[in-house]
Amino acid sequence: MRITRDCSSGADVSHHPAGDSEADTPQGLLSAEDACAAYIQRGALSVSRGGLFWLQTDPSLGITTLWHLTDQGPARLGPQSLSIRSRVNGYGGGALAASDLGVFVVSEDQQIHFIDRMNGHCLQLTDEVGVAFGGLVADPTRPRVLAVREAAGQQQLVAVGPEQGIQVLHSGLDFYGAPALSDDGRHIAWVSWQLPATPWLRTELWTAVVTENGWLRGCETWPTPSEASVQQPVFAGKTLWVLSDHDGWWQPWRLDPDGASGDWVGCDAPTLDHANAPWQLGESHHTPLMAGGWARVRYCNGTGELWLFDHADNIGRRVADTFSDFRDLCAVGAELYCIARSPTQLDAVLAIDPDSDQVRVVAGGEDAIRVGSPALPQSFVVPPGCASEPDIQGFFYSPTSEAPENPPPLILVAHGGPTSAAYPVFNPHIQFWCQRGFAVAEVNYRGSTGFGRDFRLALAGRWGEADVEDMERAADYLAARGLADGRRLFIQGRSSGGYTVLMALIASRRFAAGASMYGVTDPLRLRAATHRFESGYLDWLLGSPQTHPERWHARTPLHQADRIRTPMIFFQGGQDQVVVPVQTRAMISVMRDAGLSPELHWFDDEGHGFRQQASQAGMLTWLFSFYRKHSSKTHEPAGNLS
């Protein structure tokens, strides 16, 4: 790790973080190392008559591994050196698909393999250079897997098998979502989208018939009643269901080509989002059950709820209510399976009996905090200050230290994306701060997912403005209620959240200090270098730079850096291909020329998002030292700058 401290000196100094190391952490507190090592994540759950499979990321190993459920419990499957990850669209998704005989996976080098569930034998099915695969779906009637193939700036819907090689099923569209197949393998559906759109803005539903030899015929599109983001097609028998937000929320819709009132038939779902923004391929927030009912996720005030519906029952009942987010819903036989997250446990693989509503944890779900009690999320809602402002929701975590100050210093967190969200699930970094006397608040500012289409699209043309206003509103709201010390407000964010931090410090002096983790400092440079998936995203967030040059200049932190008068700390990876290192270097240089002394901590071997445990722990340790230094000073907030 290379560190540049107090960049007015311009020197690179290599040394270890001072302060909260493993050796000097008080007993009973999470050390920075523990906070990062504890974050085992599970996902990409897939089930078939051949078994239950999922992926597991363990920071201590540094790879993503394949697991399955055996009679003796969870066990790793496949070669020990195999790391699994899709790179389609840069964010991946759908890197595994279960079949009756085993599981198809995408390895780190972007080749598709088949792993026998009985003996773990691994057979490589592809051998291509410069490609990426994702959105895997096992064909229920043929020995092959369907996938999205990305190469040379183009995507295709393909089938891959041990004998046929690669069979191109459909091409010519800019982007493809993970396909869905009917149980008899005769019908297929998928969503696609065209540049400059993103999949949470505008997509199109396609269907086709699968011929006996596996090709597609009769490909057709299904226009929505109004512009919409359609996602997650799934067949219940021969009936196709999707989640579409053309009525304002991602809700379940049934396709009925013979319906008297049109092709799109709703099911009286509540006005809530039943999914989140599809950054990755192959997400599943709804699935049909064997007895004719449904399992569906809905998001209510930022919290995920799992609901079961009997056949022809639109009322339903909530299950597994100790968990607060659900992903990867799938069913086989009489049971429902999913990945569930909670504020107090690590990711769990659940098995749920729809007849009795009994919930079993079959893997994971370990107690996240072994000593003491974790800080628990408390939902808060900031009411509008004027008619044009919406309610803003977030989650507040109180300090859990032995003698917390009243009111405590507050760390305000701007989530990344920005079309993403904060969820009330266990985060060891939040526990790290709460154990040390800080309160933490995660804010779902305008543009966040989970609050309807209008709220999600409210950031269009207003990035660096609406999100900043909402972060400020949340800080003022919590301070006014005595939940935070208004003189010791800190703000931090990663990637696009780092951009929000920088714009907040340019606009206001109400914060005592700020932290940018690989945050965007030059949107125009990012626009020129970003990958194809997000190539139209920045123009949506800020408007075209040709049409709105003044807006781009005003909302570029690099051009406004001399207006920051707040202590800043930056973390940057030397291999970052999203926020390239020269962006952060330039930002530091401008701030130094303006007489400021920002801290820069440099990690040579990291990219966009630190993956190594030592890097994550180092960042947390430096942040604690930085916040502790500035929380001991009296800061008088100055409000907005003119």
Side-chain angles (χ1 to χ4, degrees):
M1 179 174 68
R2 302 184 67 207
I3 304 166
T4 305
R5 297 189 63 195
D6 297 327
C7 284
S8 56
S9 68
D12 283 356
V13 183
S14 296
H15 54 120
H16 294 289
D20 194 64
S21 67
E22 187 81 50
D24 58 20
T25 299
Q27 187 174 5
L29 297 189
L30 278 174
S31 68
E33 291 80 2
D34 287 340
C36 298
Y39 211 172
I40 295 175
Q41 296 178 289
R42 298 173 176 91
L45 187 72
S46 186
V47 67
S48 69
R49 289 189 294 269
L52 185 65
F53 306 85
W54 66 92
L55 298 183
Q56 185 164 306
T57 302
D58 187 337
S60 66
L61 298 177
I63 62 174
T64 299
T65 54
L66 174 65
W67 287 69
H68 69 141
L69 189 64
T70 71
D71 292 340
Q72 290 73 43
R76 278 188 66 177
L77 182 64
Q80 293 296 299
S81 61
L82 179 66
S83 183
I84 300 170
R85 183 186 185 189
S86 166
R87 296 182 183 272
V88 172
N89 297 330
Y91 296 98
L96 76 80
S99 73
D100 290 349
L101 299 179
V103 59
F104 296 93
V105 299
V106 179
S107 58
E108 187 80 36
D109 62 358
Q110 298 308 287
Q111 305 304 326
I112 296 180
H113 304 254
F114 179 76
I115 300 176
D116 189 293
R117 68 180 179 88
M118 299 301 294
N119 56 27
H121 175 70
C122 184
L123 174 65
Q124 183 170 329
L125 301 180
T126 62
D127 186 14
E128 294 194 293
V129 178
V131 305
F133 290 97
L136 301 188
V137 174
D139 192 319
T141 59
R142 303 169 185 88
R144 64 178 190 171
V145 64
L146 274 56
V148 176
R149 178 181 182 271
E150 184 175 62
Q154 297 181 334
Q155 291 189 357
Q156 301 168 323
L157 193 60
V158 302
V160 178
E163 298 179 358
Q164 70 187 49
I166 298 176
Q167 181 181 6
V168 178
L169 302 179
H170 199 275
S171 63
L173 304 175
D174 286 343
F175 296 95
Y176 289 82
L181 283 166
S182 59
D183 289 341
D184 61 10
R186 296 179 179 178
H187 299 274
I188 186 173
W190 70 91
V191 298
S192 68
W193 62 100
Q194 301 290 96
L195 290 172
T198 53
W200 49 84
L201 174 62
R202 181 173 55 254
T203 60
E204 191 172 41
L205 177 67
W206 286 74
T207 61
V209 174
V210 186
T211 65
E212 289 188 9
N213 59 6
W215 296 97
L216 306 187
R217 65 172 174 82
C219 298
E220 60 179 325
T221 60
W222 296 76
T224 49
S226 58
E227 183 176 271
S229 165
V230 182
Q231 59 168 309
Q232 300 183 31
V234 62
F235 285 94
K238 294 182 179 180
T239 303
L240 177 61
W241 289 78
V242 299
L243 300 176
S244 174
D245 68 353
H246 63 263
D247 211 27
W249 306 81
W250 272 312
Q251 295 170 303
W253 293 85
R254 175 170 56 87
L255 274 296
D256 182 6
D258 301 319
S261 59
D263 297 337
W264 296 79
V265 181
C267 64
D268 296 325
T271 52
L272 297 170
D273 274 340
H274 289 63
N276 46 38
W279 283 88
Q280 294 185 307
L281 301 178
E283 296 193 13
S284 176
H285 290 86
H286 66 152
T287 191
L289 302 173
M290 289 295 292
W294 280 87
R296 296 186 176 115
V297 179
R298 61 175 66 160
Y299 288 93
C300 183
N301 286 327
T303 297
E305 301 176 351
L306 180 60
W307 286 72
L308 300 184
F309 300 85
D310 296 328
H311 183 64
D313 177 11
N314 289 325
I315 299 176
R317 60 197 183 278
R318 186 180 177 186
V319 297
D321 58 5
T322 60
F323 295 89
S324 50
D325 197 17
F326 303 87
R327 309 289 172 97
D328 303 322
L329 273 61
C330 50
V332 67
E335 285 200 294
L336 166 70
Y337 299 93
C338 65
I339 299 291
R341 302 159 73 192
S342 87
T344 61
Q345 298 170 278
L346 300 186
D347 295 349
V349 180
L350 301 186
I352 301 171
D353 182 348
D355 291 332
S356 65
D357 297 345
Q358 181 181 4
V359 178
R360 295 182 294 118
V361 176
V362 297
E366 303 92 341
D367 287 337
I369 299 293
R370 294 181 174 85
V371 178
S373 299
L376 298 178
Q378 306 167 53
S379 179
F380 67 91
V381 176
V382 182
C386 62
S388 62
E389 290 181 345
D391 290 347
I392 299 300
Q393 189 273 338
F395 295 101
F396 177 80
Y397 296 80
S398 297
T400 56
S401 51
E402 289 187 2
E405 299 176 80
N406 187 20
L410 172 70
I411 300 173
L412 208 66
V413 180
H415 63 70
T419 310
S420 185
Y423 301 99
V425 298
F426 175 72
N427 183 332
H429 294 187
I430 290 178
Q431 304 302 322
F432 176 90
W433 295 120
C434 292
Q435 288 183 354
R436 285 157 178 78
F438 290 86
V440 177
E442 296 187 299
V443 182
N444 284 314
Y445 50 78
R446 272 171 285 182
S448 300
T449 182
F451 301 87
R453 182 177 176 88
D454 288 347
F455 189 88
R456 188 173 72 248
L457 302 190
L459 203 58
R462 299 199 63 197
W463 190 37
E465 181 183 73
D467 49 331
V468 169
E469 292 173 359
D470 294 344
M471 297 298 290
E472 293 173 346
R473 288 170 56 197
D476 294 345
Y477 176 85
L478 295 171
R481 278 149 185 78
L483 297 173
D485 186 344
R487 299 169 301 172
R488 292 182 296 167
L489 300 173
F490 303 96
I491 184 170
Q492 71 177 47
R494 302 169 185 251
S495 190
S496 71
Y499 171 86
T500 300
V501 167
L502 293 170
M503 292 304 299
L505 299 185
I506 290 166
S508 168
R509 291 184 184 173
R510 60 171 40 80
F511 298 103
S516 170
M517 296 84 155
Y518 34 90
V520 176
T521 61
D522 189 347
L524 192 60
R525 181 185 286 269
L526 178 61
R527 180 181 185 269
T530 194
H531 56 145
R532 182 169 167 267
F533 177 71
E534 294 184 75
S535 58
Y537 193 26
L538 283 165
D539 284 17
W540 181 83
L541 289 167
L542 291 173
S544 166
Q546 289 77 31
T547 307
H548 304 282
E550 298 85 1
R551 181 189 298 169
W552 277 73
H553 186 272
R555 303 220 199 125
T556 295
L558 180 60
H559 298 329
Q560 310 295 330
D562 59 348
R563 295 174 57 190
I564 296 177
R565 289 294 180 266
T566 303
M568 276 293 306
I569 187 170
F570 292 83
F571 296 89
Q572 178 66 43
Q575 306 301 314
D576 198 327
Q577 299 298 310
V578 179
V579 177
V580 293
V582 68
Q583 282 196 36
T584 301
R585 289 280 193 201
M587 184 79 183
I588 292 293
S589 178
V590 173
M591 294 180 70
R592 182 185 65 196
D593 291 344
L596 306 175
S597 298
E599 291 188 24
L600 170 60
H601 298 271
W602 195 268
F603 298 76
D604 278 328
D605 298 328
E606 290 288 0
H608 193 67
F610 295 173
R611 301 188 70 187
Q612 299 177 40
Q613 182 178 331
S615 301
Q616 297 173 17
M619 181 170 66
L620 206 55
T621 300
W622 277 117
L623 270 174
F624 177 50
S625 177
F626 177 76
Y627 287 152
R628 182 168 57 181
K629 176 172 65 176
H630 292 289
S631 65
S632 63
K633 300 177 181 179
T634 300
H635 168 77
E636 294 299 333
N640 291 331
L641 302 179
S642 59

